[in-house]
Amino acid sequence: MRSIGVCYGMNGDGLPSRSNVVQLYKSNGIGAMRIYSADREALDALRGSGIDLALDVGERNDVGQLAANADSWVQDNVKAYYPDVKIKYIVVGNELTGTGDAASILPAMQNVQAALASAGLADSIKVTTAIKMDTLAASSPPSAGVFTNPSVMEPIVRFLTGNGAPLLANVYPYFAYRDSQDIDLSYALFQPSSTTVSGGGSSVVDVVVSESGWPSDGGKGATVENARAYNQNLIDHVAQGTPKKPGQMEVYVFALFNENRKEGDATEKKFGLFNPDKTPVYPITF
């Protein structure tokens, strides 16, 4: 059984209500959601939906606070909703790579884990973090991945393996294609991502692809046709796994909506599968 989720960002104008978003997931057969903060309206809308949830704790300041204490956060945002909301992962930090940020990730993860244990939920919900691909000094071939900063990442990997949790990785072949003259477009549109990495002596850890997608406008190769091809191929490939680890993969497609308030490159606003009025940007089958 394959596991397909979609990342639900809220950084756009005119987006549907949280309850309508949950219905959009259900009507399209999307079985998992990732949200980037403990949004109470979204959590309330997810009650009884049966949708698996990857719940981010928020921005770097939120991670810093959890590095001091996580008990109240877990009580308010996890225990208050689970099991009515099927929280699967708590994501402590999304692409936090600065020196100060990195130093707070593991203590925050440890505190969240301890708070889950106190609440009797440590066996049901896994604590993890999401990295971006430049966290790997080498990523080609994927099975040869080595961490850029092993002194930070190896203790995190040991924490994950010790608790039976996966590492989350945001994987974007689009940006590698855009920034390189050496990557063929047809290869980039269906580049399988590794499901395992090894960090210089750390145990092998399973990897969940916590973000992957292709923009439909705004830059080199960013077309509706390419976005549809990449995301459909990604979804279709999930049941096969990778050559190193055949079998089920777990992938979260980025993103549910085109979000016009996102900052940065023009493509950042155009990763959505749907427009704010819930019409599809292109046809896709989950």
Side-chain angles (χ1 to χ4, degrees), residues 205-264:
V205 62
D206 285 343
V207 171
V208 169
V209 179
S210 47
E211 290 183 11
S212 194
W214 195 282
S216 60
D217 196 8
K220 172 187 172 186
T223 68
V224 168
E225 181 182 24
N226 288 344
R228 187 207 62 78
Y230 177 80
N231 284 322
Q232 190 65 67
N233 286 338
L234 177 68
I235 290 167
D236 292 345
H237 190 68
V238 164
Q240 302 172 27
T242 69
K244 187 174 178 67
K245 191 169 185 181
Q248 178 186 1
M249 293 172 60
E250 188 173 353
V251 171
Y252 290 77
V253 179
F254 187 89
L256 187 63
F257 294 115
N258 284 332
E259 298 173 66
N260 67 312
R261 295 205 309 266
K262 292 202 73 174
E263 299 178 352

Side-chain angles (χ1 to χ4, degrees), residues 148-258:
T148 304
N149 192 343
S151 64
V152 171
M153 287 305 303
E154 286 180 14
I156 289 175
V157 169
R158 287 194 291 270
F159 170 89
L160 295 172
T161 55
N163 290 289
L167 178 66
L168 271 55
N170 298 343
V171 180
Y172 287 99
Y174 171 74
F175 294 116
Y177 162 74
R178 183 195 66 182
D179 298 335
S180 172
Q181 301 300 316
D182 302 322
I183 297 178
D184 181 70
L185 176 62
S186 61
Y187 177 74
L189 287 174
F190 191 41
Q191 179 180 345
S193 303
S194 174
T195 58
T196 59
V197 295
S198 180
S202 298
S203 301
V204 172
V205 62
D206 285 343
V207 171
V208 169
V209 179
S210 47
E211 290 183 11
S212 194
W214 195 282
S216 60
D217 196 8
K220 172 187 172 186
T223 68
V224 168
E225 181 182 24
N226 288 344
R228 187 207 62 78
Y230 177 80
N231 284 322
Q232 190 65 67
N233 286 338
L234 177 68
I235 290 167
D236 292 345
H237 190 68
V238 164
Q240 302 172 27
T242 69
K244 187 174 178 67
K245 191 169 185 181
Q248 178 186 1
M249 293 172 60
E250 188 173 353
V251 171
Y252 290 77
V253 179
F254 187 89
L256 187 63
F257 294 115
N258 284 332

Side-chain angles (χ1 to χ4, degrees), residues 10-31:
M10 305 173 190
N11 208 2
D13 294 321
L15 298 181
S17 69
R18 313 299 199 259
S19 58
N20 282 340
V21 167
V22 170
Q23 291 306 311
L24 186 63
Y25 273 73
K26 294 174 74 171
S27 64
N28 284 277
I30 306 169

Side-chain angles (χ1 to χ4, degrees), residues 32-275:
M33 176 189 292
R34 181 182 178 188
I35 58 176
Y36 293 90
S37 67
D39 182 271
R40 299 295 177 86
E41 289 183 37
L43 289 168
D44 285 335
L46 283 163
R47 288 187 186 274
S49 67
I51 295 171
D52 289 336
L53 180 64
L55 173 61
D56 283 45
V57 302
E59 303 293 337
R60 54 173 44 90
N61 290 339
D62 302 294
V63 174
Q65 291 173 10
L66 293 177
N69 188 286
D71 291 336
S72 61
W73 189 92
V74 167
Q75 289 291 325
D76 293 343
N77 301 299
V78 181
K79 190 172 184 181
Y81 291 95
Y82 187 88
D84 289 347
V85 178
K86 292 181 62 181
I87 301 170
K88 187 174 186 179
Y89 304 121
I90 296 175
V91 187
V92 180
N94 184 48
E95 300 185 347
L96 295 184
T97 55
T99 303
D101 297 328
S104 66
I105 292 173
L106 183 58
M109 293 172 72
Q110 292 168 331
N111 284 347
V112 172
Q113 183 71 31
L116 287 175
S118 296
L121 299 175
D123 293 333
S124 304
I125 301 170
K126 300 302 181 183
V127 180
T128 183
T129 189
I131 64 170
K132 56 183 177 180
M133 290 313 293
D134 66 7
T135 306
L136 297 178
S139 58
S140 182
S143 57
V146 177
F147 291 119
T148 304
N149 192 343
S151 64
V152 171
M153 287 305 303
E154 286 180 14
I156 289 175
V157 169
R158 287 194 291 270
F159 170 89
L160 295 172
T161 55
N163 290 289
L167 178 66
L168 271 55
N170 298 343
V171 180
Y172 287 99
Y174 171 74
F175 294 116
Y177 162 74
R178 183 195 66 182
D179 298 335
S180 172
Q181 301 300 316
D182 302 322
I183 297 178
D184 181 70
L185 176 62
S186 61
Y187 177 74
L189 287 174
F190 191 41
Q191 179 180 345
S193 303
S194 174
T195 58
T196 59
V197 295
S198 180
S202 298
S203 301
V204 172
V205 62
D206 285 343
V207 171
V208 169
V209 179
S210 47
E211 290 183 11
S212 194
W214 195 282
S216 60
D217 196 8
K220 172 187 172 186
T223 68
V224 168
E225 181 182 24
N226 288 344
R228 187 207 62 78
Y230 177 80
N231 284 322
Q232 190 65 67
N233 286 338
L234 177 68
I235 290 167
D236 292 345
H237 190 68
V238 164
Q240 302 172 27
T242 69
K244 187 174 178 67
K245 191 169 185 181
Q248 178 186 1
M249 293 172 60
E250 188 173 353
V251 171
Y252 290 77
V253 179
F254 187 89
L256 187 63
F257 294 115
N258 284 332
E259 298 173 66
N260 67 312
R261 295 205 309 266
K262 292 202 73 174
E263 299 178 352
D265 191 86
T267 57
E268 295 285 350
K269 305 179 193 325
K270 294 293 185 177
F271 272 86
L273 301 174
F274 295 90
N275 296 300

